[in-house]
Amino acid sequence: AGFVAARLAGVAATGLVVGLFIDHVWIGICGALATYLGLQLFRLHQLDYWLRHRSLMDPPDAAGLWGDVVALVVRLYRRKKFHKQRLVEMFRELRRSTASMPDGVVTLNRENEILWFNRTAGELLGLRRRVDTGLRVGNLIRQPEFGRYLANEQYTQPVTLPPTSTEGRWLSMQLVPYGDGQKLLLVRDVTRQSQLEAMRKDFVANASHELRSPLTVVSGYLETLAADPTIDADLQHPLREMRRQAERMTGIVNDLLELSRLESDDGEVGGAPIDVAALLAVLRKDALSRPQPTSEVRVSIESDRQIIGDETQIHSAFSNLVDNAAKYTPADGRIELRWWVDDDGGHFAVTDTGIGIPSEHLPRLTERFYRVDAGRARATGGSGLGLAIVKHSLQRHGARLEIASIEGRGSTFTCHFPPRRLASVAEQRIRA
């Protein structure tokens, strides 16, 4: 500011001298100031023209304040250019790295429109960059499973899509939210894994079916031998143990057959209304009739709403949960069966005061044959299939299983049913 004031004072003084020389002081001063203003406007025009065409020409050669402005703009421009080049290189490196990934990657905006995808995603999903960019991904992937997955906004687990043709691929797809409503769609070819899983399921189903008849024959002969009074007393204990093991094997085979039947059809079942209160009363009676029952089994019914579904599958799922609680709860413990309804749907919970489950085992409890303690499971007669059956039965009803447990203090297994699976008593009367 001081420099500008001094420059203006110098221009005015020059004008004053010129005015005295021509005997017109004010004309001299005004002329000097006008000339100075015109020079500044010229410098401003030079700066404006250079800013508009700085990529084609060198910066103007200016001294004083204008020179400082030009130098500052040049520094800012160079810094911006450097950062821009760096971002471009980083973006190019990111595109090269994602393009070489074995999995497909698709970026989506808030409206699920495709912003970008790598080469693998294009091959797996049949996407074309110039045609499909900007389109909604739900309009391009029209399989119902993916539509439900996209609408539910529950992205913690991937969804597996079956092939659309005999030579198609099984694809595992998972959405990962990031940024301001944006998402990454990760696509993986799981054809090989799906084929191996199908072969394993077929083998288990066939083996279980073939074992059922021999086990029935063996169990029948063992029962006959155990009832024969002429059998030596020393053989009674081995016969009882053989019958117990045969019954255990029969239970495992039956569980495998039921699980195979559930897995053979992933679609949701229809069904009819199920009286939850009556079902829980039966389950309580079964729990109290065990050889070593838990002393206290409570039932809490907080709603008269009913579940719409397959009664056999629901009974099997609930029975497995109650049976597990009874196995691992001591005689002086407590089991509570609770049914309630809220805005999120219907909920059935089995809470016990048993031994509990370590937290590291919770994510794998619903896997086939997974046991927290294999020795204890064999002692209680567990097959390791009960929770797998529960999981698949609930999935066929659009429901899910939630497990919470504290080691040494007990566990809670909760079945969450969506609102569409509920019916009221009034609705049943109207239908009747």
Side-chain angles (χ1 to χ4, degrees):
F3 176 79
V4 173
R7 177 67 66 88
L8 286 174
V11 171
T14 302
L16 177 61
V17 172
V18 173
L20 291 173
F21 181 76
I22 63 174
D23 200 22
H24 292 282
V25 175
W26 290 110
I27 293 178
I29 294 174
C30 291
L33 292 174
T35 302
Y36 182 74
L37 178 59
L39 179 62
Q40 302 308 312
L41 291 174
F42 175 72
R43 295 296 188 191
L44 181 61
H45 173 73
Q46 279 187 315
L47 178 63
D48 176 71
Y49 188 81
W50 172 68
L51 289 174
R52 295 176 184 274
H53 306 87
R54 61 179 182 273
S55 60
L56 304 176
M57 60 182 297
D58 295 330
D61 185 13
L65 182 61
W66 288 108
D68 295 340
V69 172
V70 171
L72 179 61
V73 172
V74 169
R75 284 197 299 271
L76 292 174
Y77 174 69
R78 288 176 178 173
R79 186 179 302 172
K80 177 183 175 182
K81 186 176 181 180
F82 170 76
H83 288 297
K84 182 179 178 181
Q85 290 176 343
R86 187 176 180 183
L87 288 174
V88 169
E89 288 298 325
M90 291 177 62
F91 182 70
R92 288 175 178 171
E93 184 66 25
L94 177 63
R95 292 189 63 176
R96 284 193 293 267
S97 61
T98 53
S100 61
M101 288 177 61
D103 298 338
V105 180
V106 183
T107 59
L108 308 174
N109 62 12
R110 184 185 296 273
E111 287 73 30
N112 294 323
E113 296 171 342
I114 297 176
L115 301 177
W116 176 84
F117 56 88
N118 66 352
R119 185 184 303 110
T120 306
E123 294 173 355
L124 294 177
L125 300 177
L127 301 178
R128 295 169 293 175
R129 197 170 303 278
R130 294 184 179 181
V131 177
D132 297 329
T133 300
L135 299 181
R136 289 179 180 269
V137 69
N139 296 336
L140 301 174
I141 306 175
R142 293 184 172 274
Q143 290 175 269
E145 297 90 342
F146 183 73
R148 289 192 294 267
Y149 178 73
L150 197 63
N152 289 337
E153 298 185 355
Q154 297 292 332
Y155 307 138
T156 55
Q157 296 295 329
V159 60
T160 301
L161 304 183
T164 55
S165 63
T166 56
E167 299 180 358
R169 302 169 173 172
W170 288 82
L171 299 179
S172 174
M173 309 180 73
Q174 184 170 11
L175 285 166
V176 180
Y178 76 98
D180 186 16
Q182 295 176 302
K183 305 179 189 72
L184 279 179
L185 176 61
L186 306 179
V187 187
R188 176 176 298 178
D189 186 352
V190 292
T191 304
R192 178 61 176 169
Q193 295 91 316
S194 298
Q195 291 173 343
L196 291 175
E197 180 69 13
M199 292 173 60
R200 182 181 66 83
K201 290 179 180 179
D202 291 341
F203 170 77
V204 170
N206 293 333
S208 302
H209 182 74
E210 294 300 325
L211 285 172
R212 193 172 191 176
S213 296
L215 280 173
T216 302
V217 174
V218 170
S219 297
Y221 278 117
L222 287 174
E223 186 175 355
T224 302
L225 289 173
D228 189 347
T230 63
I231 295 295
D232 194 321
D234 293 337
L235 297 177
Q236 291 296 329
H237 177 70
L239 284 174
R240 285 196 299 269
E241 182 62 20
M242 291 168 67
R243 288 183 64 189
R244 190 178 71 85
Q245 294 297 337
E247 290 173 358
R248 180 169 178 267
M249 291 180 64
T250 301
I252 293 175
V253 168
N254 290 334
D255 286 345
L256 283 172
L257 289 173
E258 182 178 359
L259 188 57
S260 298
R261 180 176 57 82
L262 290 172
E263 290 179 336
S264 63
D265 185 2
D266 294 331
E268 286 198 16
V269 298
I274 303 169
D275 189 341
V276 180
L279 175 59
L280 298 194
V282 172
L283 295 178
R284 179 180 182 274
K285 183 179 179 180
D286 292 343
L288 291 174
S289 63
R290 291 173 58 86
Q292 296 178 344
T294 303
S295 61
E296 186 178 359
V297 181
R298 298 179 180 176
V299 175
S300 176
I301 304 294
E302 302 175 17
S303 173
D304 62 354
R305 300 289 294 276
Q306 299 178 343
I307 298 175
I308 300 175
D310 185 294
E311 186 169 3
T312 301
Q313 294 183 20
I314 294 297
H315 182 277
S316 175
F318 288 9
S319 177
N320 272 296
L321 293 180
V322 175
D323 190 53
N324 274 349
K327 285 178 182 177
Y328 299 110
T329 302
D332 59 349
R334 184 180 72 257
I335 299 174
E336 180 181 2
L337 315 182
R338 181 187 174 208
W339 167 253
W340 76 99
V341 172
D342 56 24
D343 293 338
D344 296 326
H347 314 276
F348 168 68
V350 179
T351 302
D352 63 65
T353 58
I355 60 176
I357 305 167
S359 58
E360 63 269 20
H361 295 285
L362 296 181
R364 299 189 59 191
L365 283 181
T366 57
E367 295 180 10
R368 289 186 179 198
F369 300 110
Y370 185 81
R371 297 185 178 98
V372 176
D373 187 334
R376 183 180 293 143
R378 282 192 293 269
T380 57
S383 65
L385 296 171
L387 291 179
I389 292 174
V390 172
K391 175 185 174 182
H392 284 83
S393 296
L394 294 179
Q395 285 179 344
R396 296 204 63 196
H397 289 80
R400 62 184 178 87
L401 177 65
E402 180 184 357
I403 305 173
S405 182
I406 300 177
E407 190 173 7
R409 296 179 60 182
S411 308
T412 298
F413 293 78
T414 307
C415 306
H416 300 286
F417 292 88
R420 68 177 185 276
R421 281 288 175 178
L422 302 179
S424 65
V425 176
E427 290 175 349
Q428 299 313 308
R429 291 172 179 170
I430 292 174
R431 291 179 183 177

